[in-house]
Amino acid sequence: MNSHAIEHLRNIGIMAHIDAGKTTTTERILYYTGLTHKIGEVHDGNTIMDWMDQEQERGITITSAATSCYWHDHRINIIDTPGHVDFTVEVERCLRILDGAIFLLDAKEGVEAQTKVVWHQADHYKVPRLIFVNKMDVIGADFSRSVTTIKEELGGNPLPIQIPMGSEKEFEGVISLVTMKAYYNTGKLGEEIQMDDIPQIFIDEATDRRKHLIEVLADENDDLMMLYLEGEDIPEDLLNETIRTATLAGNITPVLCGSAFTNKGVQLLLDAVIAYLPSPVDSPPITGQGHNGEEIHRKADKTEPFSGLIFKVMTDPYVGRLAFLRVYSGTIKTGSSVLNVSKNKKVRASKILQMHANNRTEIDIAVAGDIVAIIGLKFMGTGQTLADINHPIHLESIEFPEPVISRALEAKKPSEYDKMRASLAHLAEEDPTLVTYINEETGQTIISGMGELHLEIVLDRLEKEFGVAVNSGKPHVTYKESITKAVTVEYKLTHLGATQATYAYVKLNVTPKERGTGHTIRTTFDSKKFPKEFIHCAEEGVKQSLLSGIISGYEVIDLDIDICDLDYDEEQSTDIAFITAAAYAVTEALKQGDSKLLEPIFTVNVHAPENYIGDVMEDLKKRKGHITAMELLPKSHKVIATVPLSNLFGYATDIRSITRGNGHYTILFSHYDVVADK
Ligand code: GDP
Ligand code: MG
């Protein structure tokens, strides 16, 4: 079957703000694709089994990391992306390994907070995408407005390739602007599709919209432009081809519509995934580093040496530890040994599995482009590279954000201390955003993560999955510090300790940078004769001293540090003198640069019915929140505010009581800002 050809493979993710209908749409996709390929793909004998409890919704099982399904001789791997914002990093790591994405919008809301964050991440990874305006059947559904919000809120370049026939209760189906036909879903669950002429009342709108479509596409393809200028008909194939290349180039984002819940439009969405989203060969070759740090590229080709990235590690109650792997090049066979490049250890893949919605297939070989689960690897961790032993490549790992919140833990039974540490190590292997360490001053075990909920889930899993009961302290915010004005500082070290004479001179220009941009450490000092190792030590001293600032020992962030002058003495200078002098110089810069404590600020987005909205705002103000926007929506009002994370503990419970269970909210990390006087 063709679905084994790499061109017939699609690795996609479905991105959505919570409640936009991701679960419902995924269910429909698995149902319709299951219908057409119920038999034949499954030669199992494997237990049909459910994944983790939390991931089961409404009876259907969606495997947690990746699910394969088939549509018109193509294989589609749907990579699961979590809905909650504490897990945006998980979305990020999914974006790293997928080739294309569907962005779901709620037709009455248009673009929402989380969509924005993920959209910008998708921009960063240059992921081609489609937009599906879902929920066309609900009150307030508005296709045109949704498209406008894409332009305004995302700066995207949306191009409707469909329009809805009616909306709200009258939503009947969709019109394709490519075929200029109307499509209706019939059958009990919309499994059949009827194509018909466009009803009279939609002809004008469809004609206008198609004209716009063709005008935009004419700029993307010369042949199409010629036909357009000559007033000729444009063949469907040429339209499709142009939509595809423009989508892959990131010049347009095709917009489709439907209603997953009432079974409309989902099959056409699948058609569009195949027609317009990339296969692994359409994505650029993956880059990584070779043995000596040199940059190397690997094509999505099975004749290249094997390379792959572990993007998720999880524990399966039946088969144990699974590593989900995106194969970028070459092949990996069952039973073969490969190199875990990140750990520099040889590992053996004892089994390779392809995961389906409710079963799994053991396969002998996985090839470039595939997404599979591997059992039996002795060393595995999220973000690690596997590669051919003789041709190692280290793929660029996923960047994980710093944790913003911490809690202290202790085992309820002192005898379980070791078990607790081991279990935490296990969890941290699965989840790189979870950091665990021992506070040297207090001896306490600390866990740090992305948000309150993130740590709650860790505690829950410790107890339920690992059987370790723990007592935990209150969550604490992770502060940072940074200077508020640019300074030039110098430090001349003449003694180490009280007596030992030494010498090192370091001069720095230190400038605050924009939040979230990290440090830049440069050496503009240029002297060929100056000993290289002293320059290196000065840089090292700078780096080390940035790890703990002068206010309360929190990490220093976002500085541009230019080592602009150095001096040494033939006799007396040593490595340690330069490390120390540079560290003192940084401390001096923090003092003179008026370093301030910074705290994480979150964007809070609350929806609540009108009669509660006053109380919601009142409460946000008490939490030192700044209301940045308010929107009056048909059923519930929306308030957006920025609030220090330290004032958001327990918000889930509080908002429930303020709105008597009628409100809901999302929070997103926004930025670090100077701690306001309390
Ligand atoms: P998720 O949070 O993105 O996974 O959203 P869900 O799929 O769980 O959907 C949230 C709610 O919206 C559920 O009550 C769904 O039944 C409902 N829903 C999803 N899609 C549609 C749709 O197309 N029309 C209507 N009317 N409701 C929908
Ligand atoms: Mg869901």
Side-chain angles (χ1 to χ4, degrees):
M1 193 171 89
N2 274 338
S3 54
H4 290 303
I6 192 166
E7 293 79 9
H8 286 225
L9 181 57
R10 299 288 178 274
N11 293 315
I12 63 161
I14 302 178
M15 316 290 176
H17 189 89
I18 197 145
D19 269 355
K22 201 180 79 178
T23 303
T24 313
T25 308
T26 312
E27 268 183 13
R28 297 306 188 271
I29 291 178
L30 295 178
Y31 177 70
Y32 297 132
T33 58
L35 271 187
T36 41
H37 280 271
K38 208 170 205 160
I39 339 155
E41 299 310 325
V42 187
H43 46 276
D44 51 5
N46 301 318
T47 344
I48 293 180
M49 47 160 296
D50 295 332
W51 280 81
M52 299 165 78
D53 300 350
Q54 305 97 292
E55 312 233 356
Q56 277 188 53
E57 284 171 84
R58 283 179 258 129
I60 198 161
T61 315
I62 296 164
T63 59
S64 47
T67 306
S68 280
C69 59
Y70 295 88
W71 187 247
H72 296 331
D73 275 354
H74 284 67
R75 179 146 54 90
I76 302 177
N77 288 322
I78 303 174
I79 292 104
D80 186 52
T81 50
H84 196 276
V85 73
D86 274 8
F87 308 112
T88 36
V89 58
E90 294 233 10
V91 179
E92 181 134 3
R93 79 173 162 210
C94 294
L95 282 167
R96 169 76 162 73
I97 56 99
L98 49 73
D99 299 311
I102 300 171
F103 272 73
L104 282 190
L105 300 186
D106 178 330
K108 76 175 181 318
E109 306 283 349
V111 169
E112 295 175 85
Q114 246 164 290
T115 334
K116 267 198 226 176
V117 175
V118 181
W119 184 271
H120 295 311
Q121 288 171 330
D123 280 343
H124 178 75
Y125 289 102
K126 300 196 169 56
V127 175
R129 56 210 99 144
L130 303 175
I131 293 171
F132 183 69
V133 179
N134 186 38
K135 298 202 186 182
M136 275 310 303
D137 63 303
V138 301
I139 295 174
D142 188 334
F143 180 73
S144 297
R145 208 196 51 188
S146 295
V147 174
T148 308
T149 63
I150 300 166
K151 259 188 240 152
E152 287 174 356
E153 305 273 328
L154 303 177
N157 204 355
L159 185 62
I161 58 167
Q162 295 180 342
I163 54 168
M165 284 187 278
S167 61
E168 306 184 347
K169 264 202 216 102
E170 267 90 62
F171 177 60
E172 280 185 85
V174 303
I175 290 168
S176 160
L177 302 175
V178 175
T179 60
M180 288 301 267
K181 291 282 178 193
Y183 296 82
Y184 304 87
N185 285 75
T186 55
K188 215 163 137 215
L189 289 164
E191 61 272 28
E192 282 153 39
I193 297 165
Q194 278 178 9
M195 186 177 82
D196 213 334
D197 289 337
I198 299 175
Q200 194 61 39
I201 48 164
F202 296 113
I203 286 186
D204 285 351
E205 190 192 348
T207 311
D208 278 358
R209 292 274 197 169
R210 178 172 159 104
K211 189 161 168 277
H212 173 69
L213 175 82
I214 289 174
E215 280 166 5
V216 172
L217 294 178
D219 281 335
E220 300 287 334
N221 182 300
D222 293 343
D223 294 344
L224 206 154
M225 176 65 97
M226 290 294 283
L227 293 173
Y228 169 65
L229 290 176
E230 286 161 13
E232 300 275 336
D233 274 353
I234 320 253
E236 200 180 310
D237 283 355
L238 182 58
L239 282 177
N240 279 327
E241 183 195 314
T242 311
I243 295 172
R244 181 179 180 77
T245 44
T247 306
L248 298 192
N251 296 345
I252 62 161
T253 311
V255 185
L256 298 85
C257 60
S259 156
F261 186 68
T262 60
N263 308 314
K264 293 188 175 75
V266 176
Q267 291 96 332
L268 295 179
L269 174 64
L270 285 168
D271 290 346
V273 165
I274 287 168
Y276 310 131
L277 288 183
S279 82
V281 281
D282 296 313
S283 302
I286 187 86
T287 18
Q289 289 185 338
H291 251 331
N292 307 314
E294 75 280 14
E295 192 175 291
I296 32 184
H297 303 270
R298 292 278 161 78
K299 280 191 298 211
D301 190 324
K302 56 181 170 196
T303 61
E304 290 246 350
F306 163 71
S307 70
L309 188 77
I310 297 175
F311 65 96
K312 183 150 186 143
V313 169
M314 52 188 284
T315 307
D316 175 290
Y318 292 85
V319 296
R321 307 282 282 162
L322 286 177
F324 280 85
L325 181 78
R326 157 86 196 226
V327 183
Y328 280 101
S329 60
T331 61
I332 177 170
K333 293 196 179 91
T334 302
S336 64
S337 290
V338 294
L339 186 69
N340 179 326
V341 186
S342 317
K343 289 270 159 203
N344 199 20
K345 299 266 200 236
K346 250 209 259 183
V347 291
R348 196 171 157 274
S350 48
K351 274 185 192 166
I352 306 178
L353 302 176
Q354 201 169 80
M355 316 301 280
H356 300 277
N358 44 21
N359 63 60
R360 52 182 60 186
T361 321
E362 255 184 59
I363 53 177
D364 302 329
I365 184 168
V367 304
D370 277 347
I371 289 181
V372 290
I374 301 207
I375 303 180
L377 298 177
K378 217 162 169 195
F379 297 92
M380 56 167 107
T382 301
Q384 295 176 356
T385 305
L386 300 184
D388 185 317
I389 293 170
N390 300 316
H391 300 91
I393 174 174
H394 193 221
L395 302 176
E396 189 186 306
S397 186
I398 304 156
E399 273 177 40
F400 298 108
E402 300 269 326
V404 288
I405 186 170
S406 315
R407 287 179 88 153
L409 296 188
E410 60 179 27
K412 275 194 182 143
K413 294 186 203 137
S415 60
E416 287 197 339
Y417 175 80
D418 288 342
K419 190 171 166 195
M420 176 184 83
R421 298 283 311 161
S423 309
L424 283 174
H426 223 69
L427 287 168
E429 193 179 68
E430 287 181 17
D431 174 1
T433 59
L434 173 67
V435 178
T436 83
Y437 60 96
I438 295 173
N439 180 327
E440 280 171 22
E441 277 162 35
T442 61
Q444 281 174 314
T445 299
I446 311 286
I447 57 173
S448 305
M450 307 313 300
E452 216 179 351
L453 179 69
H454 183 203
L455 297 186
E456 288 285 341
I457 289 179
V458 170
L459 296 181
D460 193 53
R461 291 188 65 189
L462 268 182
E463 191 153 343
K464 293 215 179 93
E465 280 174 47
F466 296 88
V468 189
V470 295
N471 292 320
S472 56
K474 282 212 184 101
H476 288 280
V477 161
T478 309
Y479 292 92
K480 308 272 180 190
E481 66 168 89
S482 195
I483 62 171
T484 48
K485 58 179 192 231
V487 285
T488 301
V489 290
E490 53 186 351
Y491 197 87
K492 191 182 281 175
L493 185 79
T494 53
H495 282 85
L496 269 179
T499 51
Q500 194 191 342
T502 188
Y503 181 77
Y505 169 81
V506 176
K507 185 173 178 186
L508 307 174
N509 283 321
V510 186
T511 319
K513 284 174 67 188
E514 203 184 314
R515 280 292 94 79
T517 53
H519 295 304
T520 312
I521 299 170
R522 310 177 281 143
T523 307
T524 52
F525 167 71
D526 185 25
S527 162
K528 299 264 169 339
K529 274 182 268 155
F530 204 88
K532 285 271 174 307
E533 75 266 23
F534 289 159
I535 299 180
H536 183 74
C537 286
E539 287 167 353
E540 199 46 45
V542 167
K543 275 186 208 151
Q544 283 180 15
S545 62
L546 292 172
L547 295 178
S548 65
I550 56 168
I551 302 173
S552 304
Y554 290 107
E555 192 190 358
V556 182
I557 57 168
D558 303 333
L559 294 185
D560 179 279
I561 298 183
D562 170 17
I563 303 173
C564 57
D565 197 11
L566 295 170
D567 188 29
Y568 80 112
D569 176 274
E570 287 282 356
E571 302 283 305
Q572 297 199 321
S573 288
T574 57
D575 286 1
I576 194 79
F578 272 94
I579 294 178
T580 313
Y584 278 127
V586 170
T587 305
E588 200 51 41
L590 295 176
K591 280 187 201 149
Q592 291 183 26
D594 197 11
S595 193
K596 291 258 194 310
L597 201 60
L598 305 172
E599 64 178 339
I601 308 289
F602 275 59
T603 303
V604 185
N605 209 314
V606 190
H607 285 247
E610 191 179 355
N611 47 333
Y612 300 111
I613 212 78
D615 291 346
V616 168
M617 299 204 342
E618 193 67 18
D619 172 74
L620 284 170
K621 281 184 201 146
K622 271 195 216 134
R623 294 172 194 270
K624 300 216 179 334
H626 287 282
I627 312 275
T628 55
M630 238 199 104
E631 243 178 86
L632 310 182
L633 300 167
K635 262 174 137 180
S636 71
H637 288 5
K638 180 162 97 177
V639 183
I640 303 176
T642 52
V643 188
L645 178 62
S646 55
N647 297 339
L648 280 172
F649 293 145
Y651 195 59
T653 318
D654 294 350
I655 194 75
R656 218 174 294 134
S657 75
I658 293 168
T659 64
R660 292 169 202 263
N662 291 299
H664 66 267
Y665 76 102
T666 54
I667 64 170
L668 270 184
F669 172 73
S670 169
H671 60 284
Y672 267 94
D673 203 353
V674 174
V675 176
D677 294 329
K678 305 251 166 177

